[in-house]
Amino acid sequence: MKQPAKKTPQERLSARKAILQEQCRIREQKLTEDFSCLRENAGRLLLFGLSWLVASGTGTGKQTDATPDKTSALPPVSSVFNWAGIFSTAKTLWPVVWEIAWPILVSQGINRIRQWLFNPKK
Protein backbone atom coordinates (compact mmCIF):
# COMPACT_ATOMS: atom_id res chain seq x y z
CA MET A 1 0.00 0.00 0.00
CA LYS A 2 1.40 3.36 -1.05
CA GLN A 3 1.70 6.19 1.39
CA PRO A 4 0.32 9.54 0.19
CA ALA A 5 2.99 12.11 -0.50
CA LYS A 6 3.52 14.49 2.39
CA LYS A 7 2.46 18.04 1.75
CA THR A 8 5.04 20.73 1.90
CA PRO A 9 4.58 23.53 4.43
CA GLN A 10 3.67 25.87 1.56
CA GLU A 11 0.89 23.51 0.41
CA ARG A 12 -0.44 23.13 3.95
CA LEU A 13 -0.42 26.91 4.38
CA SER A 14 -2.24 27.39 1.07
CA ALA A 15 -4.85 24.79 2.06
CA ARG A 16 -5.34 26.45 5.46
CA LYS A 17 -5.66 29.85 3.80
CA ALA A 18 -8.36 28.52 1.46
CA ILE A 19 -10.27 27.06 4.41
CA LEU A 20 -10.07 30.32 6.35
CA GLN A 21 -11.21 32.35 3.35
CA GLU A 22 -14.21 30.06 2.93
CA GLN A 23 -15.07 30.35 6.62
CA CYS A 24 -14.78 34.14 6.40
CA ARG A 25 -17.05 34.19 3.36
CA ILE A 26 -19.68 32.09 5.15
CA ARG A 27 -19.58 34.27 8.28
CA GLU A 28 -19.72 37.44 6.21
CA GLN A 29 -22.81 36.11 4.44
CA LYS A 30 -24.45 35.34 7.81
CA LEU A 31 -23.60 38.83 9.10
CA THR A 32 -25.09 40.37 5.98
CA GLU A 33 -28.31 38.48 6.63
CA ASP A 34 -28.30 39.60 10.29
CA PHE A 35 -27.75 43.23 9.34
CA SER A 36 -30.53 43.14 6.77
CA CYS A 37 -32.85 41.80 9.48
CA LEU A 38 -31.71 44.58 11.82
CA ARG A 39 -32.25 47.21 9.12
CA GLU A 40 -35.76 45.93 8.48
CA ASN A 41 -36.67 46.01 12.18
CA ALA A 42 -34.59 48.98 13.38
CA GLY A 43 -37.53 51.35 13.66
CA ARG A 44 -39.62 48.84 15.56
CA LEU A 45 -36.76 48.05 17.94
CA LEU A 46 -36.05 51.74 18.55
CA LEU A 47 -39.70 52.58 19.21
CA PHE A 48 -40.07 49.58 21.49
CA GLY A 49 -37.02 50.61 23.48
CA LEU A 50 -38.15 54.21 23.81
CA SER A 51 -41.69 53.25 24.80
CA TRP A 52 -40.29 50.82 27.35
CA LEU A 53 -38.10 53.55 28.83
CA VAL A 54 -40.99 55.98 29.07
CA ALA A 55 -43.52 53.46 30.37
CA SER A 56 -41.24 51.92 32.99
CA GLY A 57 -40.74 55.21 34.84
CA THR A 58 -44.43 55.97 35.31
CA GLY A 59 -46.47 54.69 38.18
CA THR A 60 -43.61 53.00 40.01
CA GLY A 61 -43.00 55.53 42.75
CA LYS A 62 -45.15 55.47 45.92
CA GLN A 63 -46.47 58.63 47.42
CA THR A 64 -46.01 58.23 51.15
CA ASP A 65 -47.43 61.54 52.32
CA ALA A 66 -50.69 63.08 51.13
CA THR A 67 -49.53 66.61 51.94
CA PRO A 68 -46.39 67.84 50.18
CA ASP A 69 -43.49 69.27 52.16
CA LYS A 70 -43.81 73.04 52.23
CA THR A 71 -40.10 73.65 52.82
CA SER A 72 -39.00 72.60 49.36
CA ALA A 73 -40.46 73.94 46.15
CA LEU A 74 -38.99 71.16 44.01
CA PRO A 75 -39.34 67.44 44.59
CA PRO A 76 -36.13 65.62 45.53
CA VAL A 77 -33.96 64.44 42.67
CA SER A 78 -34.37 60.81 43.68
CA SER A 79 -38.13 61.02 43.05
CA VAL A 80 -37.68 62.72 39.67
CA PHE A 81 -35.18 60.11 38.48
CA ASN A 82 -36.46 56.71 39.38
CA TRP A 83 -33.06 55.03 39.53
CA ALA A 84 -34.50 51.60 40.22
CA GLY A 85 -36.69 51.94 37.15
CA ILE A 86 -33.77 53.08 35.01
CA PHE A 87 -31.57 50.18 36.13
CA SER A 88 -34.45 47.75 35.68
CA THR A 89 -35.01 49.06 32.17
CA ALA A 90 -31.32 48.83 31.34
CA LYS A 91 -31.26 45.25 32.62
CA THR A 92 -34.33 44.41 30.55
CA LEU A 93 -32.99 46.05 27.39
CA TRP A 94 -29.53 44.47 27.67
CA PRO A 95 -30.45 41.44 25.49
CA VAL A 96 -31.73 43.75 22.75
CA VAL A 97 -28.58 45.88 22.90
CA TRP A 98 -26.41 42.76 22.86
CA GLU A 99 -28.25 41.38 19.80
CA ILE A 100 -27.54 44.62 17.99
CA ALA A 101 -23.92 44.93 19.14
CA TRP A 102 -22.88 41.28 18.68
CA PRO A 103 -22.93 41.23 14.84
CA ILE A 104 -21.03 44.52 14.77
CA LEU A 105 -18.35 43.19 17.12
CA VAL A 106 -18.06 39.92 15.19
CA SER A 107 -17.73 41.69 11.84
CA GLN A 108 -15.05 43.99 13.23
CA GLY A 109 -13.21 40.98 14.62
CA ILE A 110 -13.42 39.15 11.30
CA ASN A 111 -12.13 42.21 9.46
CA ARG A 112 -9.20 42.56 11.88
CA ILE A 113 -8.32 38.87 11.57
CA ARG A 114 -8.59 39.04 7.79
CA GLN A 115 -6.30 42.07 7.69
CA TRP A 116 -3.85 40.39 10.05
CA LEU A 117 -3.77 37.13 8.07
CA PHE A 118 -3.95 38.33 4.49
CA ASN A 119 -2.48 41.84 4.62
CA PRO A 120 0.33 41.68 7.15
CA LYS A 121 2.30 44.84 7.72
CA LYS A 122 5.72 44.59 6.17
Side-chain angles (χ1 to χ4, degrees):
M1 198 156 137
K2 253 186 175 181
Q3 291 261 348
K6 286 191 172 184
K7 290 184 179 182
T8 65
Q10 180 69 32
E11 291 171 336
R12 286 189 302 220
L13 188 61
S14 296
R16 181 71 179 146
K17 181 179 176 180
I19 290 170
L20 287 174
Q21 284 178 332
E22 181 64 20
Q23 288 175 347
C24 284
R25 187 191 61 76
I26 290 170
R27 295 223 180 189
E28 196 170 16
Q29 184 178 7
K30 172 113 173 63
L31 285 173
T32 303
E33 292 170 4
D34 290 346
F35 276 122
S36 66
C37 180
L38 281 175
R39 264 186 248 118
E40 290 170 3
N41 298 314
R44 187 177 307 140
L45 287 171
L46 183 63
L47 289 176
F48 172 75
L50 289 175
S51 67
W52 186 263
L53 270 173
V54 171
S56 69
T58 60
T60 57
K62 289 190 218 174
Q63 188 171 2
T64 57
D65 196 18
T67 60
D69 188 14
K70 296 187 192 292
T71 58
S72 65
L74 296 173
V77 174
S78 62
S79 68
V80 173
F81 296 109
N82 185 1
W83 294 108
I86 291 172
F87 289 132
S88 171
T89 303
K91 184 178 176 182
T92 305
L93 288 177
W94 178 251
V96 175
V97 171
W98 183 248
E99 283 188 38
I100 293 171
W102 178 249
I104 296 169
L105 293 172
V106 170
S107 68
Q108 290 298 318
I110 289 173
N111 285 338
R112 298 272 171 123
I113 291 170
R114 186 183 299 151
Q115 287 175 358
W116 180 68
L117 286 175
F118 304 120
N119 297 328
K121 294 180 182 176
K122 294 181 181 179

